[in-house]
């Protein structure tokens, strides 16, 4: 059973003006599709892994044949990370989380605004391509390339922000801070807290 590109729960133009239809279409139908295609190609020679979930594969990369491990790490990581990214975005979104997540963030950072500032700093601090993550213990962490807390530490992140240039260059050119600021407006916090 080959991996497939997940359908979005919203149209490509739904997140505009924060993330444009052009970016969404390129990012989903080209970049994410390419990760899926290359993941399937890499696993073509390893049928024993084809029925595993992407989470199972990424948490046990050492089990893969060495010849395909890097390709699966990068492209399987790309598939997992982008699937999570799309799921936590919505046009009816933004603001702050509710309930336990809000209270946990407030307890750790003092306020939701202080948390946002730290998350933004982490996003701007990623050199080159990578991701910023919110973990279940409300810590913020970053990973290079298409690594994630799942592949690195076997921890399922609550939320991830793609800071690869392909995620924002068409809209924001080199201005990553503007993209990060816009992203807060399209986070679907109800999806973030879903188990
Ligand atoms: Mn991306």
């Amino acid at each position: 059973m080959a991996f497939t590109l997940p359908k979005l729960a919203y149209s490509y133009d739904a997140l505009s003006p924060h993330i444009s239809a052009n970016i969404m279409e390129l990012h989903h139908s080209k970049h994410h599709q390419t990760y899926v295609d290359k993941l399937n190609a890499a696993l073509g020679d390893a049928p024993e892994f084809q029925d595993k979930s992407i989470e199972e594969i990424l948490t046990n990369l050492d089990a893969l044949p060495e010849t395909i491990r890097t390709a699966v790490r990068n492209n399987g990581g790309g598939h997992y990370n982008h699937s999570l990214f799309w799921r936590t975005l919505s046009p009816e979104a933004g603001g702050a989380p509710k309930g336990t997540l809000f209270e946990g963030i407030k307890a750790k950072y003092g306020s939701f605004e202080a948390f946002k500032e730290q998350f933004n700093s982490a996003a701007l601090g990623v050199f080159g391509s990578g991701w910023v993550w919110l973990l279940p213990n409300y810590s913020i962490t970053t990973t290079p390339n298409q690594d994630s807390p799942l592949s690195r530490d076997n921890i399922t992140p609550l939320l991830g922000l793609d800071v690869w240039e392909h995620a924002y260059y068409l809209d924001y050119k080199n201005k990553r801070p503007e993209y990060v600021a816009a992203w807060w407006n399209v986070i679907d916090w109800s999806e973030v807290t879903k188990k």
Side-chain angles (χ1 to χ4, degrees):
M1 182 64 189
F3 289 97
T4 55
L5 184 68
K7 286 200 168 41
L8 301 183
Y10 42 83
S11 61
Y12 284 142
D13 62 2
L15 306 181
S16 174
H18 309 294
I19 303 176
S20 71
N22 281 345
I23 285 264
M24 288 301 300
E25 183 171 9
L26 177 75
H27 201 175
H28 180 258
S29 74
K30 303 290 190 220
H31 287 281
H32 190 168
Q33 182 70 61
T34 300
Y35 294 125
V36 170
D37 292 345
K38 289 187 172 175
L39 171 63
N40 288 330
L43 291 175
D45 293 332
E48 66 273 33
F49 293 94
Q50 290 168 3
D51 287 331
K52 293 189 186 296
S53 69
I54 192 59
E55 289 84 357
E56 285 177 291
I57 291 173
L58 290 175
T59 50
N60 203 7
L61 288 168
D62 287 345
L64 290 160
E66 205 178 340
T67 49
I68 63 167
R69 195 175 302 150
T70 299
V72 172
R73 177 181 175 175
N74 289 337
N75 295 292
H79 175 47
Y80 173 81
N81 293 351
H82 288 84
S83 298
L84 185 150
F85 186 60
W86 309 131
R87 187 174 59 74
T88 54
L89 301 180
S90 167
E92 310 292 335
K98 293 187 169 61
T100 307
L101 178 56
F102 181 80
E103 294 304 326
I105 286 173
K106 205 172 132 197
K108 194 169 184 100
Y109 297 92
S111 68
F112 183 67
E113 285 308 310
F115 159 72
K116 276 176 73 173
E117 279 177 30
Q118 285 207 29
F119 198 99
N120 289 346
S121 303
L124 303 185
V126 174
F127 183 77
S129 297
W131 289 75
V132 192
W133 306 97
L134 173 63
L135 302 182
N137 69 356
Y138 313 121
S139 292
I140 297 164
T141 192
T142 66
T143 53
N145 305 312
Q146 294 297 353
D147 290 347
S148 70
L150 186 75
S151 61
R152 186 183 67 189
D153 304 319
N154 202 0
I155 294 170
T156 301
L158 297 177
L159 178 68
L161 171 61
D162 187 348
V163 294
W164 283 56
E165 274 195 347
H166 72 221
Y168 60 89
Y169 201 83
L170 279 185
D171 286 356
Y172 297 99
K173 298 296 186 274
N174 59 327
K175 294 174 191 143
R176 189 187 287 179
E178 293 183 10
Y179 157 70
V180 175
W183 169 73
W184 291 102
N185 296 307
V186 289
I187 301 173
D188 185 349
W189 289 106
S190 66
E191 200 56 50
V192 172
T193 49
K194 245 181 219 166
K195 293 284 176 235

